Amino acid sequence: MEKRGLTSSEAKERLKEYGYNKLKEEKEKSFAQLLLGQVLNPMTGILAAAVVLSVILKDYSEAAIIFFVICANAVIGAVQEKKAQGALEALKKLSVLKATVLRDGVVKNIDAEELVPGDIVYLAEGQEVPADMRLLETHNLKINETTLTGESVPVEKDAAKVSDDKTAVADRLDRAYMSTSVTYGRGVGEVTETGMHTQMGKIAEMVSNEKEKPSPLQKAMADLSKWLGLACVAICAIIFVIGLIQKQPVADMLLTAVSLAVAAIPEGIVTIVTIVMALGVTRMAKLNAIVKNLPAVETLGSVTYVCSDKTGTLTQNKMTVVKAYCNSHFTDLSDLSERDRNRFLKGFVLCNDAALDGNNEVGDPTEIALLYFGVEHNLSQEEALSVHNRVNEWSFDSDRKLMTTIHKAERHKTISFTKGSTDVILSKCDRIIENGVIREITEDDKKKINDAMTQMSDDALRVLSLAVRYDDVVPTEENMIYVGMVGMIDPERKECIESIRVFHEAGVRTLMITGDHKNTAFAIAKKLGIAENIDQCIMGPEIDAMDDETLTERISDLRVFARVAPEHKVRIVKALQATGNVVSMTGDGTNDAPSLRAADVGVAMGITGTDVAKGAADIVLQDDKFTTIERAIREGRNIYANIRKSIIFAISSNLSEIVAISAAIFMGLSAPLRAMHLLWVNLLTDSLPCFALGVDPNSSKDVMKDKPRKSSEGVFANGGITIMAVFSILIALLTLGGFLFPAIRQVTGSGSGFSLKALREAYQVPGVLMLGQTYAFCILSLSELTYAAGMRDINTSIFKINWLDNKLMLGAMAFGLLVQIAVTEIPFFAKAFSLVSLSSTEWLCMIAVSLIPLLMHEIMVLVRRKR
């Protein structure tokens, strides 16, 4: 190591060459750019077409209303996207710290941003590592690399164990990395990489390179907008040609064609989809899931794989003692005598450099676990030290693999406790204490101890043994008395077991992806029900040996991925996506950020998660519970089911208008509905029931009993087209029947023969056309209200649906009926809409006819049951 380090001039030159030790700033989109992106969204094209058509119709008030809807949609989407920005900003903040460096032969503190390759940096307990470096000296140095590699236990570093760049990051014992933290000991390192060249910089690069992908619903809505656009052009062309063939006035046919085009566009559907997802965000917030990216709400409903980080997500991220071996067998400490229990507990609590200060934990996680073990059995470190003050110690080091402390004793001059590796301690013990009796240790004793240690190791437990000596003045680690051992692990979250079972029933597979060791990962995965045998586990180096095609072929057989690096996680996510899966990735560490961004839905932990992970994710869990993911997916499925119902209802309603008008035109009759009637139905009558469908609780079925939908599956799959065809034709026939009824009555009343020509002549009689259009308008509006009610659950009888759990639907139906009566009976509105007033008998008839869609609903339920 250079005694003087770099000189100031050398550091200055290298700073010019390598740049500042900070992460590259990516210019964020301005709000105006985000707003423009929302306006140019294909879904918005549907509403834009409605504005243009309304202007053509010279209905400027409707054009203004729809334009307002476009602006509202754009603002809502842009605000949500603005909130989602910030992953790189969080990564930048990680590098804003001080570093202790040797410059010009003097140890000084400088801003970490000014570090350059070649700088000599001093590391001490409690400090963050300011840059990537190769360690030159290590003195019992342990570094917590959880945020980088996912490994739950601090890594014991050793400058003598030289590694190369082919060694996995988690196994490079002579390296230290930016943003990790020193938990024990001290060290000296030479900076090798700074800024974007560090491991953290590579993660930042991976995060920025991952582009956001459209959600399944966004794809479906984009396809729908294209389909509707083509439909509009086709309808206009066909009707115009028919009109020319029938020798009808060109101006009238243009107006009719434009009216049909308006009928083809469900003006309110995009707004309703946005509002439904926004309300879903509010409901999910109550479930402790904060949604940053609006489309992620419905994407959750189609998730087929939940890829979860182990540490802190499936486990508690807290080392815990789960087994104790004393008196030659595994035991519950409550079964030991008070003296044996105190000796066992005091050894692990006193031979310990960690500390608990209220809610603050200081020290190595393994030692903290031992302190909590004592507290659990009513022995605090403070209480133990008050009786047995420490008088000498021999600190832990990696060569001895032991730690010894000497304390004042009550019955002896001193009591000396040694903890560490079972193999090493056994080799230095010549006696054993069993049931309070000290005797010579035998080979049979050692075999029992080794068998117990092997059993705990097979369960992926971290094992520590304890030995004791009496009356020492200086620490001595020979001729000791063996006391016992403990096994500890970062335990699984018990509530995850049920969630994983529910996922299995719902057709959602859970994968564990971790930087931890294979055996540890498999032990937890087996307890959680994720994996059944070790063949379902794979390690990072094995992934490196595969090309993307091979990984994609094998991915469906794997359940656990151990010792993985950030780039492995991204490859795993992309391999799953390549086979048509919708992937949710959960995690809390910085190392999870690229995969959170690459996944269809990234889910970060809000409490233990780093700012980087939260910035890269689509959803942040406020309670860090895996079970919240299950509830979020359930909510996502409900939201998608509701959006699907809303879209099918809206398109069916528009198709019924098109069919009714087209049929009348084909017969050479006047249009049964005016453009203002269509806009009224689309923007007012249909919107409220459509919205009510969007927030339906779906109480009649458990959506988690269904398999996830395929990402390529459209909203009209699984019977959607049949539903649309049946009800659009039915409502069209009812509407057309209402339109034809006054003309038929006129023809039959006049005594002339029934023919299309007679019908055309009947509409020339004053008042007949207006009455027919009034009937058609009312039947269309009221029929769509009853159709919406049945759409709540197309597979359940209306007599079994709980109508009171969706009061909004009841309110929408009542409101729809009242406004329909108002627009027909109030002279001002009746004149504006070219309608005539109806008698009470006529209204009863309109209502009775409008109940026919509910009858069809019951028929379809019966047909499905028979099938």
Side-chain angles (χ1 to χ4, degrees):
M1 182 182 76
E2 296 180 28
K3 292 182 179 179
R4 291 181 55 82
L6 297 177
T7 64
S8 296
S9 58
E10 286 174 331
K12 192 172 182 180
E13 288 300 315
R14 294 191 186 192
L15 190 62
K16 289 180 181 178
E17 181 181 354
Y18 296 103
Y20 284 99
N21 179 35
K22 61 181 182 179
L23 302 179
K24 182 174 65 177
E25 297 183 23
E26 187 175 276
K27 189 176 180 181
E28 293 184 352
K29 290 182 180 179
S30 66
F31 187 76
Q33 290 173 314
L34 295 176
L35 204 59
L36 181 62
Q38 292 290 326
V39 171
L40 297 178
N41 188 301
M43 290 190 292
T44 310
I46 300 173
L47 291 179
V51 172
V52 173
L53 292 169
S54 296
V55 171
I56 292 173
L57 289 167
K58 296 183 179 180
D59 196 335
Y60 301 115
S61 60
E62 293 293 350
I65 291 171
I66 301 171
F67 181 73
F68 172 78
V69 169
I70 291 176
C71 294
N73 283 344
V75 170
I76 292 171
V79 168
Q80 288 292 332
E81 196 172 343
K82 188 68 177 176
K83 290 179 181 177
Q85 290 180 341
L88 284 175
E89 192 66 29
L91 278 165
K92 277 195 307 172
K93 293 177 182 177
L94 286 175
S95 61
V96 181
L97 69 156
K98 295 286 185 179
T100 304
V101 64
L102 184 66
R103 289 266 181 96
D104 300 314
V106 178
V107 176
K108 59 177 74 174
N109 285 326
I110 65 170
D111 286 341
E113 286 188 357
E114 297 175 8
L115 285 176
V116 294
D119 262 325
I120 304 301
V121 176
Y122 292 84
L123 300 174
E125 185 175 330
Q127 289 184 336
E128 269 194 16
V129 179
D132 287 6
M133 60 186 71
R134 184 181 293 276
L135 296 169
L136 305 175
E137 296 178 20
T138 52
H139 303 279
N140 305 323
L141 180 65
K142 292 184 182 181
I143 295 180
N144 186 342
E145 296 183 343
T146 300
T147 59
L148 183 65
T149 66
E151 186 163 355
S152 55
V153 178
V155 180
E156 192 176 314
K157 297 294 183 177
D158 188 345
K161 295 183 179 179
V162 179
S163 62
D164 56 30
D165 291 339
K166 293 181 181 179
T167 307
V169 171
D171 296 324
R172 297 177 190 175
L173 303 183
D174 63 328
R175 307 286 182 92
Y177 297 102
M178 175 191 279
S179 89
T180 59
S181 57
V182 179
T183 63
Y184 193 84
R186 56 190 176 84
V188 181
E190 179 182 352
V191 175
T192 55
E193 305 290 351
T194 59
M196 292 299 291
H197 298 289
T198 62
Q199 291 296 320
M200 195 59 57
K202 292 175 183 177
I203 291 175
E205 192 70 34
M206 291 169 71
V207 171
S208 64
N209 288 340
E210 286 297 332
K211 305 301 180 185
E212 289 192 17
K213 299 169 285 298
S215 71
L217 182 62
Q218 285 176 316
K219 294 175 184 176
M221 291 298 285
D223 292 340
L224 180 62
S225 65
K226 293 174 186 176
W227 179 81
L228 288 176
L230 292 173
C232 287
V233 173
I235 289 167
C236 290
I238 291 171
I239 295 302
F240 188 73
V241 170
I242 290 173
L244 291 179
I245 293 172
Q246 294 177 344
K247 296 182 180 180
Q248 295 191 25
V250 174
D252 289 349
M253 293 316 303
L254 279 174
L255 187 61
T256 301
V258 168
S259 297
L260 276 170
V262 171
I265 299 172
E267 290 87 352
I269 191 64
V270 177
T271 306
I272 288 170
V273 168
T274 303
I275 293 172
V276 167
M277 287 197 291
L279 289 173
V281 168
T282 303
R283 286 197 302 274
M284 289 178 72
K286 294 178 182 177
L287 298 175
N288 291 315
I290 304 301
V291 179
K292 297 166 48 191
N293 183 16
L294 204 57
V297 175
E298 58 86 16
T299 307
L300 272 173
S302 57
V303 164
T304 54
Y305 274 88
V306 173
C307 300
S308 178
D309 180 43
K310 177 184 75 71
T311 306
T313 307
L314 295 172
T315 65
Q316 299 173 21
N317 196 20
K318 183 179 180 180
M319 292 298 288
T320 304
V321 175
V322 293
K323 280 191 176 181
Y325 180 91
C326 185
N327 291 341
S328 300
H329 61 274
F330 288 110
T331 182
D332 185 328
L333 292 195
S334 60
D335 295 334
L336 298 178
S337 68
E338 185 177 354
R339 190 171 179 182
D340 287 348
R341 182 169 60 251
N342 284 341
R343 183 189 309 107
F344 188 82
L345 288 172
K346 284 180 179 179
F348 286 114
V349 169
L350 291 171
C351 187
N352 198 313
D353 283 335
L356 300 179
D357 181 15
N359 293 325
N360 295 323
E361 303 169 352
V362 180
D364 184 271
T366 301
E367 293 198 320
I368 290 171
L370 294 173
L371 294 185
Y372 276 117
F373 183 53
V375 171
E376 182 184 345
H377 293 89
N378 302 314
L379 179 67
S380 68
Q381 186 184 44
E382 185 179 2
E383 179 188 348
L385 285 171
S386 67
V387 179
H388 304 284
N389 189 37
R390 185 184 295 190
V391 295
N392 207 339
E393 67 181 87
W394 191 356
S395 298
F396 174 88
D397 69 52
S398 55
D399 293 328
R400 291 171 26 252
K401 296 185 178 179
L402 299 174
M403 174 184 178
T404 299
T405 57
I406 300 177
H407 304 264
K408 289 181 180 179
E410 295 169 320
R411 294 184 177 85
H412 301 269
K413 290 180 181 178
T414 61
I415 184 169
S416 171
F417 291 110
T418 300
K419 80 170 191 292
S421 166
T422 300
D423 292 337
V424 177
I425 283 187
L426 267 184
S427 69
K428 296 178 181 294
C429 287
D430 57 6
R431 288 162 293 166
I432 187 171
I433 188 165
E434 187 172 349
N435 297 316
V437 178
I438 299 174
R439 61 174 175 79
E440 189 174 321
I441 194 167
T442 65
E443 290 303 315
D444 186 54
D445 291 326
K446 291 182 179 180
K447 184 180 184 305
K448 285 183 179 178
I449 293 168
N450 280 319
D451 287 346
M453 178 185 69
T454 301
Q455 183 180 333
M456 287 195 279
S457 297
D458 289 344
D459 289 336
L461 302 186
R462 183 179 178 87
V463 182
L464 285 178
S465 276
L466 178 71
V468 67
R469 279 176 59 95
Y470 297 100
D471 300 323
D472 286 338
V473 176
V474 295
T476 303
E477 295 173 346
E478 298 290 343
N479 304 318
M480 296 186 294
I481 304 165
Y482 188 82
V483 176
M485 60 182 162
V486 293
M488 63 190 80
I489 196 170
D490 177 13
E492 72 278 7
R493 292 177 183 258
K494 300 296 183 184
E495 66 272 15
C496 293
I497 298 174
E498 175 63 16
S499 293
I500 290 168
R501 186 194 65 76
V502 172
F503 280 152
H504 181 72
E505 287 186 355
V508 179
R509 288 184 177 180
T510 305
L511 303 185
M512 178 189 289
I513 305 178
T514 178
D516 224 330
H517 293 278
K518 186 175 182 178
N519 288 343
T520 305
F522 174 66
I524 295 293
K526 190 173 183 180
K527 288 180 180 178
L528 290 169
I530 293 174
E532 296 177 354
N533 60 71
I534 198 73
D535 294 334
Q536 294 174 307
C537 305
I538 191 173
M539 294 180 68
E542 295 176 77
I543 296 175
D544 285 329
M546 298 180 190
D547 57 23
D548 290 341
E549 186 177 348
T550 305
L551 179 60
T552 301
E553 289 174 358
R554 285 202 58 193
I555 197 77
S556 61
D557 298 323
L558 300 172
R559 297 292 180 272
V560 179
F561 302 81
R563 302 304 277 173
V564 296
E567 58 270 21
H568 294 142
K569 296 184 179 185
V570 174
R571 284 190 66 196
I572 291 165
V573 168
K574 291 188 173 180
L576 289 169
Q577 290 171 333
T579 54
N581 290 292
V582 178
V583 183
S584 169
M585 173 69 191
T586 71
D588 60 354
T590 300
N591 61 317
D592 296 319
S595 52
L596 288 171
R597 179 64 66 87
D600 297 285
V601 184
V603 182
M605 302 295 122
I607 299 173
T608 59
T610 63
D611 287 342
V612 182
K614 287 184 273 190
D618 301 297
I619 296 173
V620 178
L621 305 184
Q622 286 184 302
D623 57 5
D624 281 16
K625 291 182 179 179
F626 188 80
T627 51
T628 302
I629 302 171
E630 178 220 322
R631 294 197 296 269
I633 288 179
R634 183 186 298 274
E635 184 66 31
R637 287 190 174 192
N638 272 325
I639 289 169
Y640 180 80
N642 289 342
I643 288 174
R644 179 176 181 268
K645 288 188 291 188
S646 297
I647 291 174
I648 290 174
F649 166 72
I651 301 299
S652 300
S653 300
N654 285 54
L655 282 176
S656 65
E657 297 163 7
I658 293 169
V659 171
I661 294 173
S662 299
I665 299 302
F666 285 144
M667 290 188 291
L669 305 175
S670 300
L673 296 161
R674 296 173 178 266
M676 65 185 72
H677 299 159
L678 298 174
L679 287 170
W680 171 273
V681 172
N682 290 353
L683 288 173
L684 187 63
T685 307
D686 285 355
S687 292
L688 283 176
C690 197
F691 179 66
L693 286 173
V695 295
D696 194 67
N698 291 305
S699 55
S700 59
K701 65 178 294 187
D702 184 357
V703 292
M704 294 303 278
K705 298 293 184 183
D706 298 332
K707 299 302 178 186
R709 73 185 190 277
K710 296 179 181 178
S711 58
S712 58
E713 184 179 292
V715 292
F716 304 122
N718 299 318
I721 292 177
T722 301
I723 294 169
M724 283 197 307
V726 170
F727 284 98
S728 59
I729 291 172
L730 175 63
I731 294 173
L733 289 175
L734 295 177
T735 302
L736 193 61
F739 174 66
L740 291 173
F741 182 74
I744 293 172
R745 187 172 57 187
Q746 177 68 30
V747 170
T748 55
S750 64
S752 58
F754 185 83
S755 66
L756 282 177
K757 182 179 180 182
L759 286 176
R760 294 187 194 107
E761 290 174 352
Y763 281 117
Q764 304 303 315
V765 176
V768 173
L769 177 60
M770 189 177 291
L771 181 60
Q773 289 179 333
T774 301
Y775 282 173
F777 181 38
C778 291
I779 290 175
L780 175 68
S781 296
L782 300 182
S783 296
E784 290 184 2
L785 289 176
T786 58
Y787 168 42
M791 271 300 294
R792 284 193 58 196
D793 190 343
I794 199 67
N795 297 309
T796 302
S797 167
I798 59 173
F799 300 106
K800 293 183 179 180
I801 294 175
N802 183 358
W803 294 103
L804 295 179
D805 67 357
N806 191 341
K807 295 182 176 64
L808 186 60
M809 178 61 78
L810 297 177
M813 295 176 68
F815 178 78
L817 175 61
L818 290 175
V819 296
Q820 191 63 37
I821 292 173
V823 77
T824 307
E825 300 302 327
I826 296 175
F828 172 79
F829 292 112
K831 184 178 180 181
F833 280 80
S834 300
L835 301 173
V836 297
S837 179
L838 302 179
S839 67
S840 57
T841 302
E842 287 174 312
W843 273 113
L844 288 175
C845 291
M846 298 295 106
I847 293 171
V849 170
S850 300
L851 292 174
I852 292 176
L854 288 179
L855 177 61
M856 178 58 72
H857 173 95
E858 291 302 294
I859 292 171
M860 292 184 73
V861 169
L862 289 172
V863 170
R864 283 193 176 89
R865 283 180 184 172
K866 287 183 179 181
R867 287 180 180 175

